[in-house]
Amino acid sequence: MCGIVGYIGPQEATPIVLEGLKRLEYRGYDSAGIATISQGKVSVRRAEGKLINLEKTLAERPLVGQPGIGHTRWATHGRPSETNAHPHNAGGFVVVHNGIIENYLDLKDLLREQGHVFSSETDTEIIAHLVEEHYKACGDFEAAVRKTLEDVRGAYAVAIICEQEPGKLIAAKQGSPLVVGKGQGEFFVASDIPAMLSHTREMVFLDDGEVVVFTADAMAISTLAGTPLEKKPKTITWSPVMAEKDGYRHFMLKEIYEQPRAIADTIAGRIRNGHSGVFLADIGLADDYLKGLERVYIVACGTSWHAALVGKFLIEKHARIPVEVDIASEFRYRNPLVTDRTLTLVISQSGETADTLAALQESHDKGGKVLAICNVVESSIARKSDGVIYTHAGPEIGVASTKAFTTQLVALFLFAFYLGRLRGNLDPEVGRSMLEALVSLPRKVEECLELNAAIEEAAQGLMHVRDFLYLGRGNQYPIALEGALKLKEISYIHAEGYPAGEMKHGPIALIDEQLPVVVIAPHNETMDKVAANMEEVQARGGRVVAVTDRAAAGLAGKAEIVLTVPSIVDDLMPVLTSIPMQLLAYHIAVLKGTDVDQPRNLAKSVTVE
């Protein structure tokens, strides 16, 4: 949520900052603003709503100068408005902030007693006033910022400029993501990599409690206490083109179609010669430790939690270890039973999800080890975990996760295979056939994408309904949950996912001639039971949309619409059945005219609780 962009260097700041904010739109926002310094004076422009409104303001009242900072805000404290939009200015000290200052009311009362007057409802404004107050006492911008950050409690990523020392930009991080870009004689700072990719690929990832002070030709990173730090830049291999729509109508559709490539990249280099085993270079956990595991927790939020549910099936089946799946926001508050023989597997696309980070810390505090499945190299979760399995999906801009989800499923498959072979529970010949199937997966995803036209046509007859029910059994139940979530997220149609076997325990009461029921029924040991569910829906006038594979194509008489994916081993079938779920949600949303890439009230990365 929210997006920060800062620039210091020889160029005009406003175009660079505005471009960066556009590349962060996927994070979700309700207002935006930019501030620059020109001839020793700060100027601020802000607007409620989308960036086009800020651009209109800038066309009427241009901003020149450098350094510059910008922000896209997602409201936490105070309603969306121009007044509450960032940047906030107090006495020439201007700040943009992502996060939540937990003690802002106490600080605000204290500052009011000292004569400060506030113009917004936000927690962020107190940061600018605190810097102003501390500057009065010490006369040094950097020292005033450090004293301010010692005063505040909570999560923050901040970028600050000031009239008093116009040649500096200061940024700091605690619990919210912040990345530094190192260019040729210029520097950038932003909430995420895509904001800077068109200018540099040399990135420095800040850790919690770190401060960076920029001048036009240098940067200095230190701890909050002032201890200097040496941090080498990492070269990011994503190209700027990967973050563009590349001719697709929406980022979401582009990312759906990128899945064959993303899955192939996630597999690449991880299968041993002759399909004899799996190689996980960054797993970071000793084989003896993994052999001695007694329990695995998989912890995640949202779509990643649905991937975790599939992971439970895979790990228990192949490694024969009990697995519990937790929503991250619940895990940390229930005093989980973690020991030194417990592995916590955390899943996060961004690597910055606040609740998942807190769950990671909870596991470490109790003496357990943590393995991450993550898409973003050098993200907070990746750095704080004992090991990591990267999903090489590339940047995912659309808020509704697609390629991140399917590559998470592939990463879970690889880990379950690795663990199963290590613990002696997976027969080599069975394993070889499983890896042969994995190698075929990208091609079979391409075949699934050939359903696009049929799904678009089906969406035209489904777009006006008010409710959907999604049913799946076994490892397809999480895909039912994911299909329902996708539809809710981007089309705003109410949808529920259920285990098919639970239909008689409540959801059957909802079925009438208006209710579409999406039934995921590949050919496996439960197909006959799921087919019986379809007949029960038909008997009550419900509309059945069946997603099946070629081996179970005989379901045509039991459904109004049948979408047929290729056949593959059951462990990998959730990847293939996910594709129709994504395309159906996408086309219904497009027909309804919703904002597919930036659905209302949602943010790509939930970096505050």
Side-chain angles (χ1 to χ4, degrees), residues 183-262:
Q184 296 295 320
E186 58 188 358
F187 297 96
F188 311 82
V189 64
S191 299
D192 204 353
I193 292 167
M196 304 174 285
L197 267 182
S198 60
H199 301 283
T200 180
R201 295 188 191 179
E202 298 299 301
M203 307 288 178
V204 177
F205 296 85
L206 297 182
D207 287 306
D208 286 349
E210 293 183 352
V211 178
V212 56
V213 179
F214 301 96
T215 59
D217 57 0
M219 71 172 179
I221 301 174
S222 61
T223 66
L224 183 55
T227 304
L229 298 170
E230 289 291 333
K231 305 194 77 164
K232 292 183 179 180
K234 304 279 186 178
T235 301
I236 302 303
T237 57
W238 299 349
S239 69
V241 173
M242 292 176 73
E244 300 295 343
K245 290 182 184 175
D246 198 26
Y248 288 93
R249 183 173 179 182
H250 297 98
F251 281 115
M252 182 180 178
L253 186 61
K254 172 179 179 277
E255 288 156 6
I256 289 172
Y257 272 83
E258 285 176 337
Q259 286 175 111
R261 189 272 310 158

Side-chain angles (χ1 to χ4, degrees), residues 128-447:
H129 286 271
L130 279 171
V131 176
E132 180 189 17
E133 189 66 25
H134 285 305
Y135 188 85
K136 292 176 186 176
C138 69
D140 181 88
F141 179 30
E142 181 181 341
V145 170
R146 292 183 189 277
K147 289 181 180 295
T148 294
L149 298 178
E150 290 172 358
D151 289 341
V152 300
R153 186 176 68 249
Y156 60 77
V158 294
I160 309 172
I161 57 176
C162 73
E163 293 177 350
Q164 289 79 351
E165 298 183 32
K168 283 185 180 177
L169 187 160
I170 299 178
K173 173 191 183 310
Q174 179 64 47
S176 291
L178 204 60
V179 184
V180 170
K182 185 177 183 294
Q184 296 295 320
E186 58 188 358
F187 297 96
F188 311 82
V189 64
S191 299
D192 204 353
I193 292 167
M196 304 174 285
L197 267 182
S198 60
H199 301 283
T200 180
R201 295 188 191 179
E202 298 299 301
M203 307 288 178
V204 177
F205 296 85
L206 297 182
D207 287 306
D208 286 349
E210 293 183 352
V211 178
V212 56
V213 179
F214 301 96
T215 59
D217 57 0
M219 71 172 179
I221 301 174
S222 61
T223 66
L224 183 55
T227 304
L229 298 170
E230 289 291 333
K231 305 194 77 164
K232 292 183 179 180
K234 304 279 186 178
T235 301
I236 302 303
T237 57
W238 299 349
S239 69
V241 173
M242 292 176 73
E244 300 295 343
K245 290 182 184 175
D246 198 26
Y248 288 93
R249 183 173 179 182
H250 297 98
F251 281 115
M252 182 180 178
L253 186 61
K254 172 179 179 277
E255 288 156 6
I256 289 172
Y257 272 83
E258 285 176 337
Q259 286 175 111
R261 189 272 310 158
I263 290 168
D265 286 352
T266 301
I267 297 168
R270 288 172 166 166
I271 299 178
R272 296 189 184 277
N273 291 339
H275 301 151
S276 61
V278 164
F279 179 68
L280 299 176
D282 297 322
I283 197 167
L285 299 168
D287 286 353
D288 286 345
Y289 168 76
L290 293 172
K291 288 178 182 178
L293 285 178
E294 295 178 349
R295 180 184 306 187
V296 174
Y297 288 113
I298 313 181
V299 181
C301 301
T303 285
S304 296
W305 182 70
H306 298 156
L309 293 171
V310 177
K312 174 182 172 71
F313 282 94
L314 291 167
I315 295 170
E316 290 191 340
K317 176 179 178 181
H318 296 299
R320 308 307 296 163
I321 301 174
V323 177
E324 293 186 42
V325 178
D326 266 278
I327 292 173
S329 57
E330 297 293 326
F331 179 81
R332 61 181 294 206
Y333 290 112
R334 68 173 182 84
N335 194 20
L337 297 172
V338 176
T339 72
D340 59 0
R341 292 196 175 187
T342 303
L343 175 67
T344 301
L345 176 57
V346 296
I347 308 176
S348 169
Q349 186 283 136
S350 68
E352 303 293 348
T353 310
D355 285 316
T356 309
L357 268 166
L360 183 161
Q361 189 61 51
E362 179 77 8
S363 293
H364 273 160
D365 289 346
K366 291 180 178 296
K369 291 191 180 296
V370 177
L371 176 66
I373 291 177
C374 184
N375 189 41
V376 180
V377 175
E378 292 295 310
S379 60
S380 296
I381 284 174
R383 283 178 285 151
K384 292 182 178 183
S385 297
D386 298 291
V388 62
I389 302 173
Y390 283 113
T391 56
H392 298 296
E396 187 177 69
I397 306 301
V399 167
S401 183
T402 52
K403 62 178 180 174
F405 175 67
T406 50
T407 54
Q408 286 169 356
L409 295 180
V410 170
L412 285 161
F413 177 94
L414 289 166
F415 178 64
F417 186 103
Y418 182 89
L419 200 56
R421 288 295 299 272
L422 187 65
R423 293 168 63 91
N425 298 111
L426 186 57
D427 179 79
E429 285 305 312
V430 172
R432 188 170 287 108
S433 65
M434 288 170 59
L435 293 181
E436 288 173 357
L438 181 63
V439 170
S440 75
L441 185 62
R443 174 176 52 80
K444 294 196 174 186
V445 171
E446 289 179 351
E447 292 180 43

Side-chain angles (χ1 to χ4, degrees), residues 507-518:
I508 198 167
L510 299 172
I511 295 173
D512 59 20
E513 64 278 1
Q514 301 298 319
L515 182 74
V517 182
V518 179

Side-chain angles (χ1 to χ4, degrees), residues 23 98 104 116 136 248 292 338 375 397 467 529 561 567 592:
R23 294 180 186 276
N98 183 16
Y104 88 101
H116 291 261
K136 292 176 186 176
Y248 288 93
V338 176
N375 189 41
I397 306 301
D467 303 279
K529 295 183 182 299
I561 299 167
S567 296
K592 290 176 69 67

